[in-house]
Amino acid sequence: MQIGCHVSISGSIDRAVDNAVERECSAFQIFTRNPRGWHAKELAKPDVASFKSKLATSGIDRFATCAHMPYLPNLATPKEDGFAKSLKTLIDETQRCSQLGIPYLVTHLGSHLGTGDEAGIKNLVRGLSEAGRVKNDVMILLENTAGQKNSVGSNFEQLGEIFAQLKPAEKFGVCLDTCHAFVSGYDLRTEKKVEETFAEFDRCVGMKNLKIIHLNDAKGELGCNLDRHYHLGLGEIGEEGISAVVKLANRKKIPVILETPIDDERDDFANIRKAKELA
């Protein structure tokens, strides 16, 4: 099993590995920087060396680690200044991941801001393809969306159409978020429905392209487009569905990363224990 969660880099980036080990993770995700702003401090060489050293001795496979893009970039935007800043951030993040030895960078697909799917996808593909031509060993993972207004990439058919346009193909993969899939209309509540949903994903996108699963239960009901993650087994997907996803991920050797809330109900430790129990 490769199961873990998003961990903090507070203090210094190498602390992320300590936080992952403390939570008994065998996979983890980080932000390489403050996710709420455009500015990023350069990674300090001693911190990078310490991160790589700790990861090497942690027992966690490097290919079960990923970073996530910050929140502000939007490659589907029609605004050229916003597009340029977003593309620069994406390229910078791939370079930061390469420095750290992190093989995957997860990115949201963005909003077309009312200009329509076709225009948004055209901008998105332009930006992703430009970033993909940068020479490094980092794969950019497209994350399916929850289907919010003006977003692209919530249904597998459209996600597959976007993915098929990206060149060079070996620079791109997919991260599937279970909460996003469920609230955009893909039923994951039973073992049978999980098998059907992943068969549809395989038909449209290809299971060979699925590199990471974001394992989150959903606060909202099927097809509601509400992007609210919830504790495993306590949301609208429920224990049977979450269990089926974890078992499928284990069979396919796809790392599972939780992005569940931390509150009075549960913390990371409890949700990771639950994921392992359901496996």
Coordinates of all heavy atoms in Angstrom, one line a residue, residues 4-60:
G4 N -1.0 8.1 2.0 CA -0.6 9.2 2.8 C -1.5 10.4 2.6 O -2.6 10.3 2.3
C5 N -0.9 11.6 2.9 CA -1.7 12.8 2.9 C -0.9 14.0 2.5 O 0.3 13.9 2.3 CB -2.4 13.0 4.3 SG -1.2 13.3 5.6
H6 N -1.6 15.1 2.3 CA -0.9 16.4 2.1 C -0.2 16.8 3.4 O -0.9 16.8 4.5 CB -1.8 17.4 1.6 CG -1.1 18.7 1.2 ND1 -1.0 19.0 -0.2 CD2 -0.5 19.6 1.9 CE1 -0.3 20.2 -0.2 NE2 0.0 20.5 1.0
V7 N 1.1 17.1 3.4 CA 1.7 17.5 4.7 C 2.3 18.9 4.6 O 2.6 19.3 3.5 CB 2.9 16.4 5.0 CG1 2.3 15.1 5.4 CG2 3.9 16.3 3.9
S8 N 2.5 19.5 5.7 CA 3.0 20.9 5.8 C 4.5 20.9 5.6 O 5.2 20.0 6.0 CB 2.6 21.4 7.2 OG 3.3 22.7 7.4
I9 N 4.9 22.1 5.0 CA 6.4 22.3 4.9 C 6.8 23.4 5.9 O 7.9 24.0 5.8 CB 6.8 22.7 3.5 CG1 6.1 24.1 3.1 CG2 6.5 21.6 2.5 CD1 6.7 24.7 1.8
S10 N 5.9 23.8 6.8 CA 6.2 24.8 7.8 C 7.5 24.6 8.5 O 7.8 23.5 9.0 CB 5.1 24.9 8.8 OG 5.3 26.0 9.7
G11 N 8.3 25.7 8.6 CA 9.7 25.6 9.2 C 10.7 25.5 8.2 O 11.5 26.4 8.0
S12 N 10.7 24.4 7.4 CA 11.6 24.3 6.2 C 11.0 23.1 5.4 O 10.3 22.2 5.9 CB 13.0 24.1 6.6 OG 13.2 22.9 7.3
I13 N 11.4 23.1 4.1 CA 10.7 22.1 3.2 C 11.0 20.7 3.6 O 10.2 19.8 3.4 CB 11.0 22.4 1.8 CG1 10.0 21.8 0.9 CG2 12.5 21.9 1.4 CD1 9.8 22.4 -0.5
D14 N 12.2 20.4 4.2 CA 12.5 19.0 4.6 C 11.6 18.5 5.8 O 11.5 17.3 6.0 CB 14.0 18.9 5.0 CG 14.4 19.8 6.2 OD1 14.0 21.1 6.1 OD2 15.0 19.4 7.1
R15 N 11.0 19.5 6.5 CA 10.1 19.1 7.6 C 8.9 18.3 7.0 O 8.3 17.5 7.8 CB 9.5 20.3 8.3 CG 10.5 21.0 9.3 CD 10.7 20.2 10.5 NE 9.4 20.0 11.2 CZ 9.1 18.9 12.0 NH1 10.0 18.0 12.1 NH2 7.9 18.9 12.6
A16 N 8.6 18.4 5.8 CA 7.5 17.7 5.1 C 7.7 16.1 5.3 O 6.8 15.4 5.6 CB 7.4 18.0 3.7
V17 N 9.0 15.7 5.1 CA 9.3 14.3 5.2 C 9.1 13.8 6.7 O 8.5 12.8 6.9 CB 10.7 14.0 4.8 CG1 10.9 12.5 4.8 CG2 10.9 14.5 3.4
D18 N 9.5 14.6 7.6 CA 9.3 14.3 9.1 C 7.8 14.2 9.3 O 7.3 13.3 10.1 CB 9.9 15.4 10.0 CG 11.3 15.6 9.8 OD1 12.0 14.6 9.4 OD2 11.8 16.8 10.0
N19 N 7.0 15.1 8.8 CA 5.5 15.1 9.0 C 4.9 13.9 8.4 O 4.0 13.3 9.0 CB 4.9 16.4 8.5 CG 5.3 17.6 9.2 OD1 5.5 17.5 10.4 ND2 5.3 18.8 8.6
A20 N 5.4 13.5 7.2 CA 4.9 12.3 6.6 C 5.2 11.0 7.4 O 4.3 10.2 7.6 CB 5.4 12.2 5.2
V21 N 6.4 10.9 7.8 CA 6.8 9.8 8.6 C 6.1 9.7 9.9 O 5.6 8.6 10.4 CB 8.4 9.8 8.9 CG1 8.8 8.8 9.9 CG2 9.1 9.6 7.6
E22 N 5.9 10.8 10.6 CA 5.1 10.9 11.8 C 3.7 10.4 11.7 O 3.1 9.7 12.6 CB 5.1 12.3 12.3 CG 4.4 12.5 13.7 CD 4.3 14.0 14.1 OE1 4.5 14.9 13.3 OE2 3.9 14.2 15.3
R23 N 3.1 10.6 10.5 CA 1.7 10.2 10.2 C 1.7 8.8 9.6 O 0.6 8.3 9.2 CB 1.1 11.2 9.3 CG 0.7 12.5 9.9 CD 0.6 13.7 9.0 NE 0.2 14.9 9.7 CZ 1.0 15.6 10.5 NH1 2.3 15.2 10.6 NH2 0.6 16.7 11.1
E24 N 2.8 8.1 9.6 CA 2.9 6.7 9.0 C 2.5 6.7 7.6 O 1.8 5.8 7.1 CB 2.2 5.7 9.9 CG 2.7 5.7 11.3 CD 2.0 4.6 12.2 OE1 1.0 4.0 11.7 OE2 2.5 4.4 13.3
C25 N 2.9 7.7 6.8 CA 2.6 7.8 5.4 C 3.5 6.9 4.6 O 4.7 6.8 4.9 CB 2.7 9.2 4.9 SG 1.5 10.4 5.6
S26 N 3.0 6.3 3.5 CA 3.9 5.7 2.5 C 3.8 6.4 1.2 O 4.2 5.9 0.2 CB 3.6 4.2 2.4 OG 2.2 4.0 2.3
A27 N 3.1 7.6 1.2 CA 3.0 8.5 0.1 C 2.7 9.9 0.7 O 2.2 10.0 1.8 CB 1.9 8.1 -0.8
F28 N 3.0 11.0 0.0 CA 2.6 12.3 0.5 C 2.7 13.3 -0.6 O 3.3 13.1 -1.7 CB 3.5 12.7 1.7 CG 4.9 13.0 1.4 CD1 5.3 14.3 1.0 CD2 5.9 12.0 1.6 CE1 6.7 14.5 0.7 CE2 7.3 12.3 1.4 CZ 7.6 13.6 0.9
Q29 N 2.0 14.4 -0.3 CA 2.0 15.6 -1.2 C 2.3 16.8 -0.5 O 2.0 16.9 0.7 CB 0.5 15.7 -1.8 CG 0.3 16.9 -2.6 CD -1.1 17.0 -3.2 OE1 -1.4 16.4 -4.2 NE2 -2.0 17.6 -2.5
I30 N 3.0 17.8 -1.1 CA 3.3 19.1 -0.5 C 3.0 20.2 -1.5 O 2.8 20.0 -2.7 CB 4.8 19.2 -0.1 CG1 5.7 19.1 -1.4 CG2 5.2 18.1 0.9 CD1 7.1 19.5 -1.2
F31 N 2.9 21.4 -0.9 CA 3.2 22.7 -1.7 C 4.6 23.0 -1.5 O 5.2 22.8 -0.4 CB 2.3 23.8 -1.1 CG 0.9 23.7 -1.3 CD1 0.0 23.7 -0.2 CD2 0.3 23.7 -2.6 CE1 -1.4 23.6 -0.4 CE2 -1.1 23.6 -2.8 CZ -1.9 23.5 -1.7
T32 N 5.3 23.4 -2.6 CA 6.7 23.7 -2.4 C 6.9 25.1 -1.9 O 8.1 25.6 -1.7 CB 7.5 23.6 -3.7 OG1 7.2 24.7 -4.6 CG2 7.2 22.3 -4.4
R33 N 5.8 25.9 -1.7 CA 5.9 27.3 -1.4 C 4.5 27.7 -0.8 O 3.6 26.9 -0.7 CB 6.1 28.0 -2.7 CG 5.2 27.5 -3.8 CD 5.2 28.2 -5.0 NE 4.3 29.4 -4.9 CZ 4.2 30.4 -5.8 NH1 4.9 30.3 -6.9 NH2 3.4 31.4 -5.5
N34 N 4.4 29.0 -0.4 CA 3.1 29.5 0.0 C 2.1 29.4 -1.1 O 2.3 29.9 -2.2 CB 3.2 30.9 0.5 CG 1.9 31.6 0.8 OD1 0.9 30.9 0.9 ND2 1.9 32.9 1.1
P35 N 1.0 28.6 -0.9 CA 0.1 28.4 -2.0 C -0.9 29.5 -2.3 O -1.6 29.5 -3.3 CB -0.7 27.1 -1.6 CG -0.8 27.3 -0.1 CD 0.6 27.8 0.3
R36 N -0.9 30.5 -1.4 CA -1.9 31.6 -1.6 C -1.3 32.9 -2.2 O -2.0 33.9 -2.2 CB -2.5 31.9 -0.2 CG -3.4 30.8 0.3 CD -3.9 31.0 1.7 NE -4.9 29.9 2.0 CZ -4.5 28.8 2.5 NH1 -3.2 28.5 2.8 NH2 -5.4 27.8 2.8
G37 N -0.1 32.9 -2.7 CA 0.5 34.1 -3.3 C 1.2 33.7 -4.6 O 1.4 32.6 -4.9
W38 N 1.6 34.8 -5.3 CA 2.4 34.6 -6.5 C 3.9 34.4 -6.2 O 4.6 33.8 -7.0 CB 2.2 35.8 -7.5 CG 0.8 35.8 -8.1 CD1 -0.2 36.6 -7.7 CD2 0.3 35.0 -9.1 NE1 -1.3 36.4 -8.5 CE2 -1.1 35.4 -9.4 CE3 0.8 33.9 -9.9 CZ2 -1.8 34.8 -10.3 CZ3 0.0 33.3 -10.9 CH2 -1.3 33.7 -11.1
H39 N 4.4 35.1 -5.2 CA 5.8 35.1 -4.9 C 6.3 33.8 -4.3 O 5.6 33.3 -3.4 CB 6.2 36.3 -4.1 CG 7.6 36.3 -3.7 ND1 8.6 36.6 -4.6 CD2 8.3 36.1 -2.5 CE1 9.8 36.6 -4.0 NE2 9.6 36.3 -2.8
A40 N 7.4 33.3 -4.7 CA 8.0 32.1 -4.0 C 9.5 32.4 -3.7 O 10.2 32.8 -4.6 CB 7.8 30.9 -4.9
K41 N 9.9 32.2 -2.5 CA 11.3 32.2 -2.2 C 12.0 31.1 -2.9 O 11.5 30.0 -3.0 CB 11.5 32.2 -0.7 CG 11.0 33.4 0.1 CD 11.5 33.3 1.6 CE 11.0 32.1 2.3 NZ 11.4 32.1 3.7
E42 N 13.3 31.3 -3.3 CA 14.1 30.3 -3.8 C 14.3 29.2 -2.8 O 14.4 29.5 -1.6 CB 15.4 30.8 -4.3 CG 15.3 31.5 -5.7 CD 16.7 31.8 -6.3 OE1 17.7 31.1 -5.9 OE2 16.8 32.7 -7.1
L43 N 14.4 27.9 -3.2 CA 14.7 26.8 -2.3 C 16.1 26.9 -1.9 O 17.0 27.0 -2.8 CB 14.4 25.5 -3.0 CG 12.9 25.2 -3.4 CD1 12.8 24.0 -4.3 CD2 12.1 25.0 -2.1
A44 N 16.4 26.9 -0.6 CA 17.7 26.9 -0.1 C 18.4 25.6 -0.3 O 17.8 24.5 -0.1 CB 17.7 27.3 1.4
K45 N 19.6 25.6 -0.8 CA 20.4 24.3 -1.1 C 20.5 23.4 0.1 O 20.3 22.2 -0.1 CB 21.7 24.7 -1.7 CG 21.7 25.2 -3.1 CD 23.1 25.4 -3.7 CE 23.0 25.9 -5.1 NZ 24.4 26.2 -5.7
P46 N 20.7 23.9 1.3 CA 20.8 22.9 2.4 C 19.4 22.3 2.7 O 19.4 21.1 3.1 CB 21.2 23.8 3.6 CG 21.9 25.0 3.0 CD 21.2 25.2 1.7
D47 N 18.3 23.0 2.5 CA 17.0 22.5 2.7 C 16.7 21.4 1.7 O 16.1 20.4 2.0 CB 15.9 23.6 2.7 CG 16.0 24.5 3.8 OD1 16.7 24.2 4.8 OD2 15.4 25.6 3.8
V48 N 17.1 21.7 0.4 CA 16.9 20.7 -0.7 C 17.6 19.4 -0.4 O 17.1 18.3 -0.5 CB 17.3 21.3 -2.0 CG1 17.3 20.2 -3.1 CG2 16.3 22.4 -2.4
A49 N 18.9 19.6 0.0 CA 19.7 18.4 0.3 C 19.2 17.6 1.5 O 19.1 16.4 1.5 CB 21.2 18.9 0.7
S50 N 18.6 18.3 2.5 CA 18.1 17.7 3.7 C 16.8 16.9 3.3 O 16.5 15.8 3.8 CB 17.8 18.7 4.8 OG 17.3 18.0 5.9
F51 N 16.0 17.6 2.5 CA 14.7 16.9 2.0 C 15.0 15.6 1.3 O 14.4 14.6 1.6 CB 14.0 17.9 1.0 CG 12.7 17.3 0.5 CD1 11.5 17.5 1.1 CD2 12.7 16.5 -0.7 CE1 10.3 17.0 0.6 CE2 11.5 16.0 -1.2 CZ 10.3 16.2 -0.6
K52 N 16.0 15.7 0.4 CA 16.3 14.5 -0.4 C 16.9 13.4 0.5 O 16.7 12.2 0.3 CB 17.2 14.8 -1.6 CG 16.6 15.7 -2.6 CD 17.5 16.3 -3.6 CE 17.8 15.5 -4.8 NZ 18.5 16.2 -5.9
S53 N 17.7 13.8 1.4 CA 18.4 12.8 2.3 C 17.3 12.2 3.2 O 17.3 10.9 3.4 CB 19.4 13.5 3.2 OG 19.9 12.7 4.2
K54 N 16.4 13.0 3.8 CA 15.4 12.4 4.7 C 14.5 11.5 3.9 O 14.1 10.4 4.4 CB 14.6 13.5 5.3 CG 15.3 14.3 6.4 CD 14.4 15.4 7.0 CE 15.1 16.1 8.1 NZ 14.3 17.2 8.7
L55 N 14.1 11.9 2.6 CA 13.2 11.0 1.8 C 13.9 9.7 1.5 O 13.3 8.6 1.6 CB 12.9 11.8 0.5 CG 11.9 11.0 -0.4 CD1 10.6 10.7 0.3 CD2 11.6 11.8 -1.7
A56 N 15.2 9.7 1.2 CA 15.9 8.5 0.9 C 16.0 7.5 2.0 O 16.0 6.3 1.8 CB 17.4 8.9 0.4
T57 N 16.0 8.0 3.2 CA 16.0 7.1 4.4 C 14.7 6.9 5.1 O 14.6 6.2 6.1 CB 17.0 7.7 5.5 OG1 16.5 9.0 5.9 CG2 18.4 7.8 4.9
S58 N 13.6 7.4 4.5 CA 12.3 7.4 5.1 C 11.5 6.1 4.8 O 10.6 5.7 5.5 CB 11.4 8.5 4.6 OG 11.1 8.3 3.2
G59 N 12.0 5.4 3.8 CA 11.2 4.2 3.3 C 10.1 4.5 2.4 O 9.4 3.6 1.9
I60 N 9.9 5.8 2.1 CA 8.8 6.2 1.2 C 9.4 6.3 -0.2 O 10.4 7.0 -0.5 CB 8.2 7.6 1.6 CG1 7.7 7.6 3.0 CG2 7.2 8.1 0.6 CD1 7.3 8.9 3.6

